[in-house]
Amino acid sequence: MIRRAVLLAGLALLGLGAWSDAPPPWEVLREASTIEMSVRAFGGSHRGRFEDWRGDVAFDPDAPSRTRATIVVQAGSLKMNASAVTGRAIGPGFLDARRHPTIRFQLRSLESAGGDRYTARAEVTMKGQTRPVTFPVDLRVTGDRAHLTGAFTLDRTDFGIGTSGAWNRMVGREVTVRVALQARRL
């Protein structure tokens, strides 16, 4: 029993040591942040906004390359600018929110591009498919607040979104995702 307690205590200390090397956690301020998307369809541009998501961020302003973030979006929370389009966008032919309720964004690193500009390297998972994305972001840090903005483009067919039926020909393959995140150092 004593040997087991010592072993558990040792493992706990090792875990704490590993955590101390991680960048400090930040709280994403959802009320000041947005995740939006746009796609060309039916001769025009259609925009949408994800209303339900959460984010976990570990960030050190002095070592941005160690930044890690996970954003989990509820696919069914997408609200399109034309409400008649919302049901189709989250339905079985596109996001299929009932069978695939979450979209996951996993930031792996930020690489300095000079000043407040960075290159983000991440992975996006939708409908069981994971694809890498690399895109420019602006990141400003003022005191205990950080504000990140950026956008990337995905090919919806890489994720099996809208790949069959008549709608496939009427909706553009490129989907642009725009993020504006604010966070506070914990």
Side-chain angles (χ1 to χ4, degrees), residues 6-20:
V6 169
L7 177 62
L8 289 174
L11 289 173
L13 287 174
L14 285 173
L16 289 174
W19 176 252
S20 67

Side-chain angles (χ1 to χ4, degrees), residues 112-172:
S112 178
D116 292 341
R117 306 270 311 153
Y118 293 84
T119 299
R121 299 197 184 281
E123 294 174 345
V124 175
T125 302
M126 287 188 285
K127 293 182 76 174
Q129 302 295 317
T130 301
R131 300 288 186 261
V133 292
T134 302
F135 59 101
V137 297
D138 290 322
L139 173 64
R140 292 184 324 267
V141 179
T142 306
D144 69 343
R145 302 285 175 135
H147 184 226
L148 177 139
T149 57
F152 56 91
T153 301
L154 301 171
D155 181 334
R156 65 178 170 76
T157 64
D158 286 345
F159 299 92
I161 296 173
T163 56
S164 62
W167 295 106
N168 185 36
R169 293 184 302 276
M170 295 182 211
V171 177

